Amino acid sequence: GDSVTQMEGPVTLSEEAFLTINCTYTATGYPSLFWYVQYPGEGLQLLLKATKADDKGSNKGFEATYRKETTSFHLEKGSVQVSDSAVYFCALSEGSARQLTFGSGTQLTVLP
Amino acid sequence: DADVTQTPRNRITKTGKRIMLECSQTKGHDRMYWYRQDPGLGLRLIYYSFDVKDINKGEISDGYSVSRQAQAKFSLSLESAIPNQTALYFCATSALGVGGSYEQYFGPGTRLTVT
């Protein structure tokens, strides 16, 4: 079945550092890929998405490129802020049901 | 007002009790979902519903039941709660987004503790 593997956390960075959170997936077809973010005490919010190979999703300075050849969708940001501290989830969706399969989440803490 | 609301936000109950978690949405979406979140495991799908008459089991439906009372309401029940059902529960809705993917929108979550 489908699965998503994320880099283990927690990740701690200083403000303005470069961020990469790795995500790889296993799927039988051609899934859509997502990054969701969960701020403390809140539900998940869609951060960005890509629906086909070589698509780049971007939002709020975050980017991720759908790489079919490496089955990856790594999240990057050039300069993180304290307000980016949250848990980040990689997810995929495919098939007629379109339910999401999530990775285990990566806790990011950004220090001032 | 939030588009997806969940009640209660926090609940402590005892083993063997019946409990219902409620979800309401004002987004007009047909599809609704229930997930549970456990530390280190991400979110796992319990049940999902494509409309009032279409309800489907997810990855971990044992010990849970659901009711879709209306397009806007989707309830999750634990008939006889047990301690390993202690978790954070999320409701979500979805609709077709740009590019043909179904984007999901999440409620704020219900923290359930079973003692």
Side-chain angles (χ1 to χ4, degrees):
Chain A
D2 296 347
S3 66
V4 176
T5 302
Q6 284 182 239
M7 68 183 283
E8 302 244 339
V11 174
T12 302
L13 297 173
S14 297
E15 203 165 26
E16 299 185 2
F18 184 85
L19 169 70
T20 299
I21 300 178
N22 289 337
C23 172
T24 57
Y25 67 89
T26 302
T28 53
Y30 301 95
S32 296
L33 301 174
F34 304 85
W35 277 100
Y36 280 82
V37 59
Q38 183 180 28
Y39 297 104
E42 299 183 10
L44 280 70
Q45 303 174 22
L46 179 64
L47 180 59
L48 54 83
K49 68 174 185 179
T51 57
K52 61 183 187 296
D54 299 326
D55 270 2
K56 178 185 283 187
S58 61
N59 186 26
K60 299 182 181 179
F62 291 89
E63 295 182 339
T65 301
Y66 189 142
R67 301 287 189 198
K68 188 172 184 298
E69 64 275 14
T70 55
T71 61
S72 65
F73 193 54
H74 304 322
L75 182 68
E76 297 183 335
K77 187 174 186 183
S79 177
V80 294
Q81 305 300 311
V82 173
S83 57
D84 294 326
S85 297
V87 181
Y88 292 81
F89 292 92
C90 185
L92 68 81
S93 163
E94 72 168 343
S96 59
R98 294 290 201 269
Q99 64 260 38
L100 290 169
T101 299
F102 286 89
S104 57
T106 301
Q107 171 78 55
L108 170 67
T109 301
V110 180
L111 302 175
Chain B
D1 287 340
D3 295 320
V4 184
T5 57
Q6 293 183 233
T7 56
R9 294 294 312 277
N10 287 282
R11 180 72 182 267
I12 300 173
T13 191
K14 294 185 183 298
T15 298
K17 294 291 188 181
R18 183 179 189 275
I19 184 167
M20 178 181 288
L21 309 182
E22 299 187 342
C23 176
S24 295
Q25 54 117 344
T26 58
K27 299 186 78 66
H29 293 168
D30 288 331
R31 298 185 175 201
M32 297 187 74
Y33 308 79
W34 275 105
Y35 294 90
R36 66 176 279 175
Q37 182 181 19
D38 299 278
L41 294 179
L43 276 74
R44 292 180 292 167
L45 183 64
I46 306 172
Y47 271 94
Y48 60 101
S49 170
F50 286 173
D51 64 39
V52 174
K53 297 181 180 180
D54 183 359
I55 293 177
N56 305 276
K57 293 182 177 180
E59 177 187 355
I60 53 163
S61 59
D62 287 349
Y64 301 95
S65 62
V66 291
S67 173
R68 185 83 184 263
Q69 301 95 324
Q71 186 203 37
K73 296 185 182 295
F74 192 37
S75 300
L76 176 72
S77 293
L78 288 67
E79 297 301 327
S80 179
I82 57 177
N84 76 2
Q85 291 177 314
T86 294
L88 191 53
Y89 290 83
F90 286 103
C91 174
T93 72
S94 76
L96 192 62
V98 174
S101 65
Y102 276 86
E103 301 175 11
Q104 293 195 15
Y105 299 84
F106 286 79
T110 294
R111 185 168 296 281
L112 176 66
T113 302
V114 183
T115 62

